[in-house]
Amino acid sequence: MSSPASPAPRRAPGGEVVVIFGGRSEIGLAIARRLAGGRTVVLATRPGRDVSSLAAPLTAAGASAVEIIDFDADDLGSHARVVEDVESRIGEISVAVLAFGILGDQEVAEKDAAAAARILHTDFVAQAALLTVLAERMKPRKRGVLVAFSSVAGQRVRRANYVYGSAKAGLDGFASGMADALHGTGVTLVIPRPGFVIGRMTEGMDPAPFSSTPDQVADAVVDRVRARRAGVVWIPWQLRVMFVVARFVPQPIWRRMPR
């Protein structure tokens, strides 16, 4: 991990640098399009995937440059090297969005310890590790924005998806604590807490009440990023009310809440 004593990264000639970790994510790309104007956008994607079509929409949205780099979230030892490479070659990271994650297969994970561990590793451990690397880079500079995706699935872990939900519960707690720890440092940590998102990741699943789209999630996140407003943002906002009410209703009703 890079220490605060590391040489200061250079400023990017193409404006601020926005990095999407999980660069093929629908939500991540929607955020990138909204932040692209006058900035350099870096898409960090798993090696071996087809990324040939990713740059053009960002260039059309006004990005001054688009870079695509290899990134394996599950390789914790590579996180610091990837961040160092971006900052030494491209410029100081201004906004980092952690958009990677997996749903996994709940039925398999209940019976296969390795499958359960993979979900927890990607959706919690890898996220916490990368957030730590990025925060330690940003704190000495007293600036920067981090985005870490929680989920309503982690607010009360349910039978239907308790492996994924427990990973999100862990990440939610970690990110909330880190946001408190970053208060006053100049570094902002935004924690989107969306409900069911209709998209590629949930294809074939029945949408839950108060579902949203990647574009709706991106709009809410970008508003917070531009305002440099830390903390949790419920998407849509009605879910916050729904979860308060759910504390006082019978369990069968709760089970119909969003995933």
Side-chain angles (χ1 to χ4, degrees):
M1 182 184 302
S2 299
S3 69
S6 300
R10 64 187 179 86
R11 293 299 186 108
E16 292 185 331
V17 176
V18 176
V19 184
I20 310 296
F21 293 94
R24 294 177 67 253
S25 156
E26 288 175 288
I27 294 174
L29 288 169
I31 292 171
R33 289 194 299 272
R34 286 157 174 76
L35 294 176
R39 296 181 173 91
T40 295
V41 178
V42 180
L43 302 178
T45 68
R46 186 183 293 274
R49 303 298 176 91
D50 181 9
V51 295
S52 58
S53 63
L54 299 183
L58 298 174
T59 301
S64 55
V66 179
E67 294 255 358
I68 300 176
I69 64 172
D70 288 343
F71 171 68
D72 182 351
D74 289 320
D75 182 3
L76 305 187
S78 72
H79 291 184
R81 293 195 302 274
V82 170
V83 171
E84 174 65 34
D85 178 61
V86 170
E87 296 208 323
S88 62
R89 288 193 308 105
I90 302 169
E92 174 186 314
I93 297 173
S94 300
V95 180
V97 180
L98 279 63
F100 60 88
I102 58 174
L103 279 177
D105 187 315
Q106 173 68 30
E107 291 186 9
V108 173
E110 287 183 24
K111 303 169 185 175
D112 184 340
R118 281 193 295 272
I119 297 170
L120 296 169
H121 191 272
T122 301
D123 292 342
F124 176 31
V125 176
Q127 308 259 352
L130 182 56
L131 282 172
T132 301
V133 169
L134 290 163
E136 289 304 298
R137 297 286 297 198
M138 291 178 172
K139 283 192 293 185
R141 303 195 290 254
K142 302 185 185 304
R143 58 181 174 267
V145 180
L146 301 169
V147 178
F149 280 90
S150 177
S151 168
V152 297
Q155 292 309 290
R156 181 166 175 178
V157 180
R158 302 181 312 137
R159 166 71 181 86
N161 61 351
Y162 68 78
V163 179
Y164 173 79
S166 62
K168 285 299 185 180
L171 178 60
D172 192 284
F174 182 93
S176 296
M178 176 177 272
D180 289 345
L182 290 172
H183 181 72
T185 67
V187 180
T188 302
L189 175 51
V190 180
I191 310 168
R193 196 180 277 166
F196 188 100
V197 180
I198 303 170
R200 187 172 62 235
M201 192 173 180
T202 57
E203 188 174 356
M205 300 172 64
D206 293 331
F210 298 107
S211 295
S212 57
T213 66
D215 283 327
Q216 290 170 325
V217 175
D219 285 338
V221 171
V222 169
D223 283 348
R224 284 295 191 98
V225 169
R226 287 176 173 158
R228 298 299 195 265
R229 185 178 170 194
V232 173
V233 51
W234 292 80
I235 307 167
W237 63 266
Q238 291 93 336
L239 284 174
R240 183 173 186 176
V241 177
M242 199 170 180
F243 270 77
V244 170
V245 172
R247 295 176 184 174
F248 305 99
V249 299
Q251 183 73 1
I253 297 176
W254 172 264
R255 287 174 179 158
R256 296 198 291 271
M257 292 291 183
R259 283 168 290 199

